[in-house]
Amino acid sequence: PTPTITPTPTPTPPFTSPPEIIVEEPVLAPAYGPICDTAWYRFSNNRGYYAYLTLNTNDPDQSTNSATWRTIIKYTGYYKIYAYIAYHPSIDWTCPSKHISYDTSDAHYTIYYSGGSLTVSGNQRPLNDEWLYLGEVYLEAGDSASVVVVDLNHEPNLSYTINISAMRFT
């Protein structure tokens, strides 16, 4: 009798999700410089990069500071977007001189992508070296996506810091 040859099944590769994208350093407007000139306070976060603080304002005429994270999307799909809120102690701010104990509970982020934009408010106050979930959007491979946070919010003027560090797309 002739032997029966049974083909070896081809193994199915395990499903792997696309790697997450982390943009560690944003583009600041105005560019970082002396605190009294730019209203940026810089410190090192636990991720090995700089993080920044700026004071909030509730007056659109006083709003000057923003941070932008940009990336190019490599894989099409739904992405959850998170902002990293770096730990820092209370700050003795200069220009104006005041003691600031907390980050804002009303950070305004706008996510820009080829399908439009999404604006959300996030509570940074309870977070220390943690990711703040901003939302989920559908992104196409090859598209650029960006997130912008501004110093303008609805809290009392110059009372809290806006915490700016990394952005994660996952």
Side-chain angles (χ1 to χ4, degrees), residues 1 11-12 16 35 58 65 68 100 106 118 149 151:
T12 304
T16 57
I35 194 168
N58 59 15
N65 287 27
T68 303
I100 305 294
D106 187 33
L118 171 67
V149 66
D151 58 0

Side-chain angles (χ1 to χ4, degrees), residues 40-57:
W40 290 116
Y41 177 88
R42 183 168 74 178
F43 64 101
S44 294
N45 66 22
N46 70 331
R47 300 177 57 79
Y49 293 89
Y50 287 122
Y52 301 88
L53 302 173
T54 192
L55 290 177
N56 76 299
T57 181

